[in-house]
């Protein structure tokens, strides 16, 4: 499901992305904490100054505290570019997490966090 959300962002397929969101959903990023509904997400995805151009996951860990909840943590290398100028894409590496719930017969993302990677503070990974 996480891959579907990211691919929808790359494809700028707003309806596919919003279909995977709980309502309301929440996010924490370098821009702060935000609670939003699907319409607000759609507006942000359509009008925001940056777009996602590519992504690559690594170090993914998944836990299912209940049959109806999944929590993911992972590292993502993402390409981002100014809207309308994908030729100016840059790469960012982030640590992300998402919480998914199974409700109304489908999986929905209810919470997402993202934190820029600081290589000097990397924790050792378990292999």
């Amino acid at each position: 499901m996480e891959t579907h959300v990211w691919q929808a962002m790359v494809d700028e397929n707003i309806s596919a992305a919003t279909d995977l969101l709980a309502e309301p959903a929440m996010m924490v990023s370098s821009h702060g904490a935000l609670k939003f509904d699907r319409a607000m997400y759609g507006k942000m995805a359509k009008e925001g100054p940056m777009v996602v151009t590519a992504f690559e996951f690594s170090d993914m860990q998944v836990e299912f505290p209940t049959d109806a909840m999944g929590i993911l943590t992972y590292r993502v290398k993402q390409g981002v570019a100014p809207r309308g100028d994908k030729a100016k894409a840059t790469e960012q590496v982030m640590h992300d997490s998402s919480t998914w719930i199974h409700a109304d017969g489908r999986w929905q993302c209810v919470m997402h966090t993202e934190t820029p990677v600081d290589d000097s503070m990397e924790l050792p990974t378990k292999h």
Side-chain angles (χ1 to χ4, degrees):
M1 299 310 299
E2 196 75 13
T3 301
H4 292 297
V5 171
W6 280 84
Q7 191 60 55
M9 289 190 298
V10 169
D11 296 340
E12 297 185 53
N13 185 341
I14 297 166
S15 66
T18 56
D19 286 348
L20 295 167
L21 293 175
E23 194 164 44
M26 300 171 79
M27 181 173 178
V28 177
S29 72
S30 61
H31 303 290
L34 179 64
K35 185 176 184 177
F36 54 93
D37 62 16
R38 292 181 187 128
M40 186 175 170
Y41 175 84
K43 183 174 174 57
M44 291 185 299
K46 187 175 184 177
E47 299 174 7
M50 302 295 284
V51 295
V52 177
T53 60
F55 66 95
E56 181 182 323
F57 298 147
S58 61
D59 303 327
M60 184 161 299
Q61 298 180 61
V62 181
E63 289 293 327
F64 289 94
T66 71
D67 290 344
M69 177 185 285
I71 301 171
L72 297 82
T73 61
Y74 56 94
R75 182 180 176 113
V76 61
K77 187 186 313 181
Q78 61 190 28
V80 294
R83 181 171 302 285
D85 196 357
K86 291 184 180 180
K88 291 187 178 175
T90 59
E91 187 176 278
Q92 299 173 335
V93 181
M94 310 289 272
H95 289 295
D96 284 16
S97 70
S98 292
T99 300
W100 290 81
I101 58 169
H102 194 266
D104 302 325
R106 62 190 182 90
W107 284 98
Q108 305 170 49
C109 185
V110 69
M111 176 69 176
H112 181 76
T113 69
E114 57 185 32
T115 304
V117 169
D118 178 350
D119 288 329
S120 68
M121 301 298 289
E122 279 290 291
L123 297 173
T125 57
K126 191 162 69 170
H127 294 285

